Amino acid sequence: MFRRIREIWSGELIRPMIHRAFTRLVWGLFFALFLAFLISRSGGRDLRGALMGLYALLCFIFAWLSHLQMDGMKLPRLDALRSKIDRKRPARGTGDMIDFVDEEIQSYESLSDEERYLVLMLADLANGVLFLLLSFIL
């Protein structure tokens, strides 16, 4: 497994991985804290730790699915859902920053399938570990 990851990994994958991990981190925190607020507000007990643990489990499941897809497993409905979510954003006419940047930035859409699955797997693993630690603290 680690040999395959080392074959696919390059330094250009750091930026898409950070973007995916940060987006999933924000959504996970929002949903866990919002649901905990709603449950405790209606007279229930504080479930922040349990909800964050549940989100960590969900992240680990998605990381495992990405690992299986790296090995060649086809999940057509999951790929169709990801293609809807990951559609390309429209170009904005606010100005060109390319005048100031010498390097071309690697976007998530331009990655190969194996690189995408690796980025998703590493982002989900990072979020799963972080939310697992948060669930033990809270």
Side-chain angles (χ1 to χ4, degrees):
M1 178 175 121
F2 292 115
R3 185 176 0 164
R4 176 134 177 148
I5 290 173
R6 276 188 254 132
E7 290 173 1
I8 300 170
W9 179 256
S10 68
E12 299 170 345
L13 299 179
I14 294 174
R15 184 175 182 266
M17 186 188 70
I18 290 173
H19 280 241
R20 294 287 162 178
F22 182 74
T23 304
R24 292 172 186 224
L25 174 77
V26 170
W27 280 110
L29 282 174
F30 172 75
F31 284 122
L33 294 177
F34 185 68
L35 282 174
F37 171 76
L38 289 179
I39 292 170
S40 67
R41 183 85 172 174
S42 63
R45 59 184 198 151
D46 188 25
L47 294 176
R48 287 181 295 182
L51 290 171
M52 287 189 186
L54 184 67
Y55 189 74
L57 179 67
L58 190 66
C59 286
F60 287 134
I61 289 171
F62 284 141
W64 180 251
L65 286 175
S66 296
H67 172 68
L68 290 176
Q69 286 180 323
M70 275 178 46
D71 286 341
M73 183 176 162
K74 299 292 181 197
L75 300 171
R77 289 187 182 177
L78 186 61
D79 286 337
L81 178 66
R82 282 183 180 159
S83 68
K84 286 181 185 178
I85 293 172
D86 296 333
R87 64 181 177 260
K88 200 165 191 175
R89 303 282 194 277
R92 305 281 185 215
T94 58
D96 292 330
M97 291 193 56
I98 197 67
D99 298 335
F100 305 104
V101 179
D102 294 335
E103 298 176 2
E104 185 175 329
I105 295 175
Q106 183 83 8
S107 67
Y108 181 77
E109 291 83 15
S110 65
L111 298 175
S112 68
D113 286 340
E114 286 186 339
E115 290 174 337
R116 285 183 189 175
Y117 297 141
L118 179 65
V119 164
L120 290 173
M121 182 181 76
L122 294 176
D124 284 333
L125 283 175
N127 277 335
V129 168
L130 184 66
F131 275 99
L132 193 65
L133 291 174
L134 283 174
S135 71
F136 287 134
I137 292 172
L138 296 176

